[in-house]
Amino acid sequence: MIVEPRPFPIELRELLRRRAEGALVVDVRSPSEHARGHVPGAANLPALDDAERAEVGTLWTRVDPARALARAEELGRAKIDRLVEAVRALR
């Protein structure tokens, strides 16, 4: 089943229904965030690891949110090819 990406949140009930029908659910949060709780069956393919997330969070709170977003984008761009391949491997 192919589901179009949504630019807005979807209700948990709907997500669970789609997951039960075989939809791939990818959690891009850091490993520690995923470990604290996630949708059952969600694959964790973190956009940022825990250290990177801490770095971005520190920039956000102590330096400047715009600088933090730029750093997060820089880190994410370096991983995008790996993330796309990891999603393909899950299908």
Side-chain angles (χ1 to χ4, degrees):
M1 174 173 134
I2 297 175
V3 177
E4 292 294 318
R6 290 179 166 236
F8 51 88
I10 123 176
E11 294 293 324
L12 179 58
R13 183 179 308 212
E14 175 69 8
L15 180 63
L16 293 173
R17 182 186 67 75
R18 290 183 184 198
R19 176 70 187 107
E21 292 174 353
L24 174 62
V25 176
V26 178
D27 182 346
V28 297
R29 297 174 305 146
S30 69
S32 64
E33 291 172 302
H34 180 80
R36 283 193 296 268
H38 55 272
V39 172
N44 185 221
L45 302 176
L48 302 177
D49 63 29
D50 290 322
E52 292 165 337
R53 182 179 176 278
E55 176 188 350
V56 170
T58 299
L59 284 171
W60 184 279
T61 59
R62 296 187 183 167
V63 180
D64 175 56
R67 193 151 159 211
L69 290 173
R71 180 63 176 143
E73 181 180 352
E74 177 185 1
L75 292 166
R77 285 185 186 274
K79 296 180 179 186
I80 195 69
D81 290 338
R82 179 187 58 81
L83 290 171
V84 169
E85 287 305 313
V87 169
R88 286 185 179 141
L90 291 171
R91 290 185 172 212

